[in-house]
Amino acid sequence: MQVKICGLTNLEDAWVAVEAGADLLGFILYTKSPRYTPPEQIGAITQAIRDRAGEQAPRFVGVFVDATVDQLVDAMQVAGLDYAQLQGAESPEVLAALDGRAYKALRPTSVADAQEAAERYANLGTPDGPRLLIDAYDPHEYGGTGKKADWHAAAALARAYPRLMLAGGLTPSNVAQAIRTVQPWAVDVASGVESAPGRKDHDAVRAFVARAKQEEPTP
């Protein structure tokens, strides 16, 4: 089971996630988010982790909302990112332009909505990482709300599309149940392991990763 710890803002929290066994670390590059971190600051964190962890370093993800292709490319280079998670209303053409380095986060309002969006975006996801992400729907926020995603819709997509990542309202106490219900390839947590927005509860990070890793992933 792959685990992504998202909404990181500092090296201390990021290194705790690495030591806990996280496979992906996520950083928010949406300026209206309380977890926003500038690309230069992210770059310092990712470089420090690569220097320390070497070949065991996790993959690094930037979370963007409606950025242009040029903005995405520039920010990813400065921040030292492997993937872009596109959380807004980005078109399939934006993903295609990033040539396998991006995947779409879906916030469906129904199973039918989820299936329609997945048909448009799934084949444009990363070839060796996440293909799609399912998050909770919120009419005003783009993620990190603590709301639980629609596990029924997510399970239907996980059966149809390999390498689906589940986000939305996950915590150390419910992640095992979420994995058993949805059977995703990966799980993603931000607010569910925080002591405050942008600050991680280190014990919660360790517990989340440990409980997720106890569950069997889907192929």
Side-chain angles (χ1 to χ4, degrees):
M1 179 57 55
Q2 300 282 295
V3 178
K4 174 168 168 269
I5 304 297
C6 199
L8 294 160
T9 62
N10 61 83
L11 180 57
E12 180 185 6
D13 288 353
W15 188 249
V16 166
V18 173
E19 290 188 315
D23 305 282
L24 302 106
L25 302 187
F27 303 89
I28 310 301
L29 288 118
Y30 177 54
T31 56
K32 295 181 180 180
S33 169
R35 302 171 184 88
Y36 170 74
T37 307
E40 295 79 7
Q41 185 174 333
I42 297 171
I45 296 170
T46 58
Q47 187 60 56
I49 291 175
R50 287 190 172 105
D51 289 344
R52 193 183 304 184
E55 294 183 358
Q56 303 303 313
R59 288 165 288 179
F60 301 108
V61 181
V63 179
F64 298 88
V65 177
D66 296 330
T68 66
V69 172
D70 287 345
Q71 289 170 336
L72 289 164
V73 171
D74 289 347
M76 291 179 73
Q77 181 175 359
V78 171
L81 302 175
D82 298 292
Y83 304 132
Q85 177 178 310
L86 304 186
Q87 200 85 17
E90 298 87 1
S91 68
E93 289 73 21
V94 172
L95 274 81
L98 290 172
D99 194 25
R101 296 187 65 202
Y103 60 93
K104 188 72 177 74
L106 307 180
R107 297 177 295 122
T109 57
S110 65
V111 174
D113 183 25
Q115 290 174 335
E116 187 276 332
E119 289 176 4
R120 297 176 62 208
Y121 290 104
N123 290 334
L124 298 169
T126 69
D128 56 352
R131 189 175 179 187
L132 281 175
L133 180 142
I134 298 294
D135 203 349
Y137 174 75
D138 186 283
H140 305 296
E141 302 294 335
Y142 291 98
T145 63
K147 292 183 178 180
K148 194 173 83 171
D150 183 339
W151 290 358
H152 176 59
L157 292 188
R159 289 191 294 269
Y161 300 100
R163 302 198 314 279
L164 179 136
M165 184 182 293
L166 176 67
L170 298 180
T171 67
S173 63
N174 71 10
V175 66
Q177 180 188 358
I179 292 170
R180 289 192 291 268
T181 301
V182 176
Q183 292 293 297
W185 172 79
V187 287
D188 180 4
V189 65
S191 62
V193 293
E194 284 183 332
S195 56
R199 307 297 300 187
K200 297 307 183 198
D201 178 322
H202 293 177
D203 288 339
V205 169
R206 296 182 186 105
F208 185 92
V209 175
R211 291 171 189 173
K213 293 285 186 180
Q214 291 172 355
E215 302 298 321
E216 289 295 322
T218 55

